[in-house]
Amino acid sequence: MKTICTNCQAENDRNSKYCNSCGFQLPVVAAPEVEEISEKVKKNTDKKKFNLKTFLGFIVSFIVMFFVTQSLFKPSIDTKLADFANEFNKTCPMAVDEYTTLKNVVALPNKTIQYNYVLVGINKADVKLDTIQKYFFPTVLENVKTNPGMQLFRENEVTINYYYSDQNGAFVTQYVVKPDMYR
């Protein structure tokens, strides 16, 4: 398509800015194709409406991501037990009575905490295990069941190990309190 000069009526190429014959500035004519495309874009923009499926997908994705991040960043019970052991060990060793000293507390895997005791002034050969099991272990179990300080352990079904060694560090006995014992 050609552009006609308004000054001399000469035909010029569509892309020319000035007339080839007289040098007069030619009128700017928009290409019909460009006009048609811009009209279609305007119509499509006007037609865009609220997309309920996209909105619901966004909301569901947000909720799922929220709970995933909460579960990933929430400290596990094993982490809480490790923190508990670290804090408790700041006060160790601690004399429990004249015959027993709490050496330290250790957080073990699989929701297990271990109290390591030393029997002061006692050798392994001097210990009567049947007497300890008959009289001492029931008291320990009752303490686990009722002591408010053990609530974290009860709520999270933690296994509690009581490990005893003699004055020389030799293993004497161990008492394991499992969740099914204190429920």
Side-chain angles (χ1 to χ4, degrees):
M1 181 173 198
K2 301 281 183 177
T3 302
I4 305 294
C5 177
T6 55
N7 186 41
C8 70
Q9 306 303 317
E11 284 189 3
N12 293 283
D13 283 335
R14 180 181 186 140
N15 297 331
S16 298
K17 291 184 179 183
Y18 298 97
C19 179
N20 289 335
S21 298
C22 70
F24 190 78
Q25 186 174 1
L26 297 172
V28 177
V29 178
E33 297 160 3
V34 172
E35 288 177 6
E36 289 174 17
I37 292 171
S38 65
E39 287 296 321
K40 287 180 182 178
V41 168
K42 286 180 185 177
K43 287 179 183 176
N44 286 342
T45 305
D46 293 340
K47 288 183 181 179
K48 286 187 180 177
K49 294 181 181 177
F50 180 74
N51 189 338
L52 184 61
K53 290 180 183 177
T54 303
F55 178 72
L56 290 176
F58 175 75
I59 295 298
V60 168
S61 298
F62 178 77
I63 291 170
V64 167
M65 289 305 295
F66 175 77
F67 285 110
V68 166
T69 56
Q70 289 298 317
S71 65
L72 290 177
F73 296 113
K74 181 180 177 185
S76 69
I77 185 62
D78 286 330
T79 304
K80 288 180 183 178
L81 292 176
D83 292 343
F84 170 81
N86 288 334
E87 280 300 311
F88 205 92
N89 285 333
K90 291 178 182 177
T91 62
C92 290
M94 176 191 316
V96 177
D97 57 34
E98 64 180 299
Y99 301 109
T100 313
T101 299
L102 176 61
K103 182 178 176 184
N104 62 13
V105 180
V106 180
L108 301 174
N110 302 320
K111 299 193 313 186
T112 304
I113 193 96
Q114 179 168 304
Y115 291 92
N116 294 313
Y117 291 96
V118 175
L119 300 174
V120 180
I122 301 174
N123 289 321
K124 183 176 181 176
D126 299 334
V127 176
K128 296 180 182 175
L129 290 178
D130 57 338
T131 305
I132 290 176
Q133 290 173 348
K134 184 176 180 181
Y135 296 106
F136 185 67
F137 288 167
T139 306
V140 170
L141 180 59
E142 188 60 30
N143 182 50
V144 172
K145 288 180 178 180
T146 59
N147 186 334
M150 299 285 197
Q151 184 172 358
L152 173 71
F153 301 152
R154 290 189 302 266
E155 288 174 350
N156 292 286
E157 298 183 342
V158 174
T159 299
I160 306 165
N161 294 344
Y162 293 90
Y163 184 92
Y164 293 89
S165 58
D166 69 4
Q167 64 183 0
N168 300 319
F171 171 75
V172 174
T173 187
Q174 181 174 3
Y175 183 54
V176 179
V177 180
K178 295 190 177 194
D180 60 337
M181 297 168 71
Y182 58 75
R183 277 191 235 149

